[in-house]
């Protein structure tokens, strides 16, 4: 993605079409752009609950490195903001689309909302919010809210009031209730411990090993350099487009994780498994009040890949999350065998596509059709395996 220049800061407050008064204050909608939008969004986040990919840090970092065309739409009660959505404007074919900041890197999405106000925000309020976006940015053809969580830390997601369709990929997580011993008891613990001991012997024989956490920017850079190389090789082998390719996206992750590395309680943290002095597995995670979310992970495709260094690292990551008293270890979006070996929580996120113009309707139909095909293919194991074989055979052909 190329960096775009933000349009001139603009403010719009819609006066028509407010939510009907029903024993509560009417919510007012405001739409901001540019630096004013980022400043207002950061201030709101201090009083809200939100998922990591909707944090002020994530949004500002993405604006600096990937796309400066950010729109922040806010609902306020008595001039106090209670809910906001940060969107980036991107091209979708010949149309312009506003989507949650970060694109496919943003998962388990929940925009900032004041907990006490979350249940009171209705469909009419969200429609008022959308009208404010249309008035401020008539060039936007469609709005896309993907991979939405319905409930986060006890608060309902206001965007879910719009309905939507099930996302093609589930999100898998581990319930950490009872601590690590209880987790193992629910997930073939005897077999996992035996394999972990076997891996330990193999790694010791290969020159010794250590699990490390990036604790400064230099260590963060080293782990990310290794991760980007591992992921590029893996995606090429699978025939999948590398979503981590390109300087803007990589610089985004370098700042996001590097700026947190020195903190005692980082919001974004990198872990690595080093064997024989070389990094063999890397994970990048976000930390919230009660959970850790694995945002990404990769392993080196070298002579030790057979020993599953990624599984070894996940074993210790999950154990550490239990020791820290967290409630959930979330593997995030994607249905993979290594996740199923641990997970006892399956969540289906919601996708919402809202066309705003005639051009947006055609684009929305294209997205909905593609999502429907993905859901059906992934629900049919034989067909999904055939697709993966075709990808590998063509090594990333765009036509496939």
């Amino acid at each position: 993605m190329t960096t775009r220049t933000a349009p001139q800061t603009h403010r719009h407050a819609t006066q028509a079409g407010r939510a009907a008064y029903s024993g509560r204050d009417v919510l007012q909608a405001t739409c901001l752009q540019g630096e004013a939008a980022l400043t207002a969004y950061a201030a709101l986040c201090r009083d809200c609950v939100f998922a990591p990919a909707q944090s002020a840090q994530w949004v500002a970092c993405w604006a600096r490195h990937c796309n400066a065309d950010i729109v922040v739409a806010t609902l306020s009660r008595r001039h106090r903001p209670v809910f906001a959505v940060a969107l980036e404007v991107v091209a979708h074919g010949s149309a312009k689309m506003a989507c949650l900041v970060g694109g496919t890197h943003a998962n388990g999405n929940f925009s900032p909302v004041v907990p006490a106000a979350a249940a009171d925000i209705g469909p009419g309020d969200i429609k008022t919010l959308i009208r404010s976006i249309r008035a401020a940015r008539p060039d936007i053809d469609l709005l896309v809210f993907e991979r939405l969580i319905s409930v986060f830390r006890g608060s309902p997601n206001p965007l879910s009031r719009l309905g939507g369709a099930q996302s093609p990929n589930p999100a898998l997580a581990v319930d950490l209730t009872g601590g690590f011993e209880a987790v193992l008891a629910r997930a073939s613990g005897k077999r996992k411990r035996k394999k972990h001991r076997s891996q330990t012997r193999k790694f010791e024989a290969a020159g010794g090993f250590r699990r490390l956490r990036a604790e400064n920017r230099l260590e963060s850079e080293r782990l990310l350099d290794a991760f980007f190389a591992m992921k590029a090789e893996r995606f090429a082998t699978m025939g999948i487009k590398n979503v981590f390719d390109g300087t803007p996206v990589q610089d985004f992750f370098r700042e996001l994780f590097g700026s947190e590395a020195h903190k005692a309680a980082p919001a974004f943290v990198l872990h690595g498994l080093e064997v024989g002095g070389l990094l063999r597995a890397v994970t990048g995670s976000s930390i919230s009040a009660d959970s850790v979310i694995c945002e990404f992970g990769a392993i080196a495709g070298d002579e030790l890949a057979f020993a599953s260094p990624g599984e070894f690292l996940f074993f210790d990551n999950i154990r550490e999350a239990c020791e820290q008293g967290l409630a959930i270890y979330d593997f995030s979006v994607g249905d993979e065998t290594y996740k199923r070996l641990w997970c006892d929580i399956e969540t289906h996120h919601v996708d919402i596509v809202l066309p705003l113009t005639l051009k947006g309707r055609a684009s929305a139909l294209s997205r909905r059709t593609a999502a429907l095909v993905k859901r059906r293919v992934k629900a049919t194991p034989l067909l999904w395996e055939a697709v993966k074989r075709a990808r590998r055979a063509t090594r990333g052909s765009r036509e496939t």
Side-chain angles (χ1 to χ4, degrees):
M1 182 180 292
T2 56
T3 302
R4 299 173 177 82
T5 302
Q8 183 178 0
T9 299
H10 176 77
R11 182 183 180 95
H12 174 83
T14 183
Q15 297 296 326
R18 296 279 200 272
Y21 183 79
S22 59
R24 62 170 175 80
D25 295 326
V26 176
L27 299 184
Q28 300 171 325
T30 306
C31 190
L32 293 173
Q33 299 177 70
E35 287 299 323
L38 299 178
T39 300
Y41 190 79
L44 172 64
C45 284
R46 288 195 285 268
D47 298 321
C48 291
V49 295
F50 49 83
Q54 280 67 58
S55 67
Q57 184 179 3
W58 176 291
V59 172
C61 191
W62 188 266
R64 280 192 290 275
H65 296 288
C66 298
N67 187 359
D69 194 356
I70 303 292
V71 175
V72 174
T74 304
L75 286 175
S76 299
R77 174 178 293 137
R78 297 181 183 177
H79 305 292
R80 182 196 174 199
V82 295
F83 176 65
V85 179
L87 304 170
E88 61 169 321
V89 182
V90 299
H92 184 248
S94 62
K96 274 192 176 181
M97 173 179 76
C99 61
L100 294 168
V101 175
T104 56
H105 296 289
N107 294 302
N109 298 313
F110 190 96
S111 295
V113 64
V114 174
D120 293 333
I121 299 173
D125 298 312
I126 300 301
K127 291 176 182 177
T128 298
L129 190 77
I130 292 168
R131 282 192 288 271
S132 76
I133 298 173
R134 294 187 66 179
R137 290 292 299 268
D139 59 318
I140 294 175
D141 297 298
L142 73 160
L143 302 177
V144 177
F145 309 114
E146 292 182 313
R147 298 175 296 282
L148 299 177
I149 302 175
S150 298
V151 178
F152 183 70
R153 293 177 58 187
S155 294
N157 192 334
L159 291 176
S160 297
R161 304 284 197 272
L162 297 174
Q166 181 176 298
S167 297
N169 297 304
L172 301 174
V174 188
D175 180 0
L176 304 183
T177 301
F180 193 56
E181 292 301 322
V183 170
L184 289 177
R186 298 191 294 267
S188 304
K190 185 176 181 180
R191 182 167 49 192
K192 282 186 171 62
R193 284 193 182 281
K194 181 178 179 180
K195 183 172 184 179
H196 198 69
R197 289 193 297 270
S198 174
Q199 291 169 313
T200 297
R201 290 192 293 271
K202 291 172 184 175
F203 295 151
E204 287 176 342
F209 70 95
R210 66 169 181 145
R211 174 179 177 267
L212 62 150
R213 192 196 96 181
E215 296 184 345
N216 55 56
R217 192 174 286 271
L218 186 62
E219 292 176 353
S220 177
E221 291 283 339
R222 178 181 176 236
L223 265 65
L224 283 173
D225 283 343
F227 167 75
F228 292 140
M230 293 173 187
K231 211 63 174 177
E233 180 182 1
R234 176 64 172 166
F235 281 145
T237 300
M238 296 176 66
I240 298 175
K241 177 183 176 182
N242 183 4
V243 295
F244 293 94
D245 192 25
T247 299
V249 169
Q250 292 186 7
D251 283 350
F252 160 73
F253 283 110
R254 291 183 194 281
E255 181 181 343
L256 188 70
F257 284 88
S259 62
E260 291 286 306
H262 68 282
K263 298 180 180 179
F268 298 93
V269 61
L270 291 164
H271 288 104
L273 176 66
E274 190 180 81
V275 183
L278 299 176
L279 285 167
R280 312 290 180 154
V282 176
T283 60
S285 306
S286 57
I287 312 295
S288 65
D290 62 353
S291 64
V292 54
I293 302 172
C294 183
E295 301 288 352
F296 55 74
I299 66 170
D302 56 23
E303 74 282 0
L304 285 180
F306 79 96
S308 303
E311 289 184 26
F312 187 90
L313 183 56
F314 279 126
F315 185 100
D316 287 343
N317 285 356
I318 293 170
R319 176 163 54 190
E320 181 179 75
C322 290
E323 293 169 351
Q324 293 171 342
L326 297 174
I328 299 291
Y329 186 93
D330 193 338
F331 280 98
S332 193
V333 171
D335 195 344
E336 302 289 347
T337 301
Y338 73 88
K339 298 181 183 181
R340 290 284 181 185
L341 293 175
W342 285 98
C343 295
D344 48 13
I345 300 174
E346 181 172 341
T347 303
H348 292 277
H349 295 157
V350 174
D351 294 343
I352 299 172
V353 180
L354 299 174
L356 303 181
T357 67
L358 186 60
K359 187 185 293 186
R361 290 180 184 176
S363 187
L365 178 60
S366 171
R367 292 188 70 87
R368 288 170 180 154
T369 301
L372 177 61
V373 170
K374 287 179 182 178
R375 284 197 298 272
R376 289 183 175 176
V377 167
K378 292 184 177 183
T380 310
L382 288 177
L383 186 55
W384 181 223
E385 285 302 318
V387 169
K388 289 191 283 189
R389 285 196 300 272
R391 281 175 171 174
R392 291 192 293 269
T394 56
R395 293 297 177 95
S397 167
R398 294 179 70 87
E399 291 75 18
T400 300

